[in-house]
Amino acid sequence: MTTIVTGGAGFIGSNFIFYMLKKHPEERIICVDKLTYAGNLSTLASVMDNPNFRFVKADICDESAIDQLFVEEHPDVVVNFAAESHVDRSIKDPNIFLQTNIMGTANLMNVARKYGVQRFHQVSTDEVYGDLPLDRPDLFFTEETPIHTSSPYSSSKAAADLLVLAYHRTYGLPVTISRCSNNYGSYQFPEKLIPLMFIDATENRPLPVYGEGLNVRDWLYVEDHCQAIDLILQNGRVGEVYNIGGHNEMRNIDIVKIICQTLGKPESLIEHVTDRKGHDRRYAIDPTKIHNELGWLPETNFKDGIAETLKWYQDNQDWWQQIINGDYQKYYEKMYANR
Ligand code: NAD
Ligand code: TDX
């Protein structure tokens, strides 16, 4: 069995590669990654010498590179993590999101159709459902919830999902889609809430909470997401969408306070800044389908997962120092100055 994992030098893709090489050591994994600002080859250092692993630097939009790879590797499965993934960047500059997230997915599927695969799995997001009101804790996203996006990022992911389903219906491509809630864990790029607040707090800088900080996200430990995708690859029904989430809703402000407490930093570092444009209020996944059909349940509770994650960032300063010493400072200036 040979699986192509796109975007494997990023946060969730790298964790998925580690998970798969450990869980299925007999299977071959080919990581395809363009190494954008979010991709980091050092993340994959521990598996580079594994004979069942190969890294290929390529853009998923590059038809000839992807075609050539299929000729060389005859993959059975494609798992598409590669994407522009940060909502704030999509608000500043949407175009690359349309290119990678929509055209890149179409390009991968065109090549997969040409050579044939057992499965094309699209890693999607709960953000395609839009948001839920804060005063209706009884409402959740199911797989039947209409697509109703807010940001250029979520719209590009929704467009890709529709294309994936169309390739199944029109061409019979054997697809599955997973729509997961917010992930946290090791190797997450520090533009996202938890690692960003960890680094700012560590360096005694202001913690920029958007608006009142009352927006709610449904947090899932990254390894639980990886396990769910593995189950979908093994036993998921072709043509189906599976929501992934662990009923762990938290307000942003409470996450930031946990980070302050864990690091022994004062909450006076918290600074309420101008809200994100079009900011989704609440995400909350109903994971009944994946639980009933595939027996999936998250294994890591938030208390343990966040402690583990913050410890990982404390123990792996080299990993994030390398990032914040590069273009990251310019990004931070652009995104947070005068906010
Ligand atoms: P990330 O930004 O950390 O990693 C994305 C990776 O894709 C990087 O390694 C980058 O170099 C690579 N990439 C970008 N454009 C590429 C291209 N054109 N060709 C090849 N590689 C390219 O993202 P992440 O947080 O790991 O998210 C992975 C996937 O999971 C995305 O599809 C995202 O939409 C989805 N998702 C993320 C979350 C979350 O909480 N982070 C939740 C649900 C779904
Ligand atoms: O500096 C910040 N201050 C702040 O208050 C940042 C970076 C974020 N926030 C808020 C905005 C959100 O309500 O924290 C919440 C989480 O923000 P992000 O980490 O940017 O994640 P989110 O926008 O919820 O999207 C994430 O989950 C779904 C991933 O980035 C997406 O790729 C995924 O699809």
Side-chain angles (χ1 to χ4, degrees):
M1 175 78 86
T2 297
T3 300
I4 287 185
V5 175
T6 70
F11 165 45
I12 310 176
S14 61
N15 276 282
F16 183 72
I17 288 170
F18 303 147
Y19 179 91
M20 291 297 277
L21 287 172
K22 200 166 160 198
K23 184 87 190 290
H24 308 286
E26 70 294 350
E27 293 180 15
R28 186 165 162 74
I29 301 278
I30 317 294
C31 171
V32 175
D33 200 295
K34 184 182 174 184
L35 297 180
T36 67
Y37 78 91
N40 194 335
L41 210 44
S42 77
T43 298
L44 296 170
S46 65
V47 295
M48 279 298 186
D49 292 335
N50 185 321
N52 271 343
F53 177 75
R54 178 181 171 199
F55 176 81
V56 177
K57 183 173 186 302
D59 186 336
I60 59 166
C61 302
D62 182 341
E63 189 184 338
S64 67
I66 301 299
D67 193 292
Q68 173 68 27
L69 188 62
F70 269 67
V71 170
E72 286 170 19
E73 296 287 352
H74 309 290
D76 304 289
V77 173
V78 177
V79 184
N80 184 27
F81 289 92
E84 289 293 332
S85 69
H86 193 38
V87 173
D88 292 328
R89 287 185 193 254
S90 83
I91 294 168
K92 283 244 189 281
D93 186 5
N95 285 0
I96 185 69
F97 285 74
L98 312 186
Q99 181 63 20
T100 289
N101 299 1
I102 306 174
M103 297 307 293
T105 301
N107 184 49
L108 283 173
M109 290 195 294
N110 288 336
V111 181
R113 267 185 72 207
K114 179 174 169 189
Y115 294 102
V117 287
Q118 286 173 27
R119 183 70 65 83
F120 183 94
H121 182 76
Q122 176 70 1
V123 180
S124 185
T125 168
D126 59 359
E127 295 197 21
V128 300
Y129 299 121
D131 66 350
L132 296 164
L134 291 174
D135 60 357
R136 289 292 307 274
D138 55 315
L139 296 181
F140 297 93
F141 298 137
T142 74
E143 290 80 0
E144 310 307 322
T145 301
I147 302 280
H148 186 85
T149 55
S150 310
S151 70
Y153 162 71
S154 55
S155 305
S156 68
K157 293 294 290 185
D161 282 14
L162 294 176
L163 266 181
V164 170
L165 294 173
Y167 271 58
H168 173 61
R169 175 151 175 168
T170 306
Y171 305 120
L173 190 70
V175 308
T176 40
I177 296 178
S178 51
R179 294 181 179 148
C180 190
S181 59
N182 285 58
N183 283 214
Y184 67 99
S186 53
Y187 297 108
Q188 185 168 33
F189 193 86
E191 66 194 348
K192 307 284 168 43
L193 180 73
I194 290 175
L196 182 136
M197 295 296 173
F198 168 88
I199 292 175
D200 281 348
T202 301
E203 303 200 329
N204 300 309
R205 289 209 301 257
L207 308 177
V209 169
Y210 298 165
E212 294 297 302
L214 302 180
N215 302 57
V216 169
R217 297 293 182 265
D218 182 358
W219 293 93
L220 184 73
Y221 195 53
V222 65
E223 280 176 22
D224 284 322
H225 185 185
C226 297
Q227 191 197 26
I229 293 173
D230 184 25
L231 279 177
I232 294 169
L233 292 177
Q234 290 176 53
N235 300 321
R237 285 184 294 136
V238 162
E240 293 291 317
V241 174
Y242 292 91
N243 282 355
I244 308 173
H247 282 305
N248 181 55
E249 291 177 49
M250 311 264 304
R251 302 186 311 178
N252 295 338
I253 188 74
D254 296 326
I255 298 261
V256 177
K257 285 181 178 170
I258 289 173
I259 294 172
C260 288
Q261 276 156 22
T262 310
L263 302 188
K265 300 290 178 177
E267 287 179 11
S268 56
L269 284 176
I270 293 173
E271 195 172 283
H272 292 275
V273 300
T274 309
D275 211 347
R276 175 183 280 175
K277 288 188 173 75
H279 199 172
D280 282 337
R281 292 160 297 175
R282 169 175 169 250
Y283 302 144
I285 282 277
D286 176 353
T288 306
K289 179 174 175 180
I290 191 166
H291 176 60
N292 287 350
E293 279 191 25
L294 305 179
W296 178 84
L297 275 178
E299 286 177 2
T300 303
N301 67 44
F302 188 75
K303 191 166 169 284
D304 296 341
I306 192 71
E308 187 103 347
T309 301
L310 296 177
K311 182 167 185 320
W312 186 89
Y313 280 94
Q314 279 170 326
D315 292 347
N316 289 275
Q317 295 232 359
D318 288 354
W319 184 85
W320 56 263
Q321 282 290 354
Q322 236 178 23
I323 292 170
I324 65 169
N325 290 338
D327 283 346
Y328 183 79
Q329 281 178 16
K330 278 189 227 143
Y331 163 81
Y332 203 94
E333 266 293 300
K334 190 171 145 198
M335 206 58 90
Y336 292 93
N338 313 315
R339 188 153 184 157

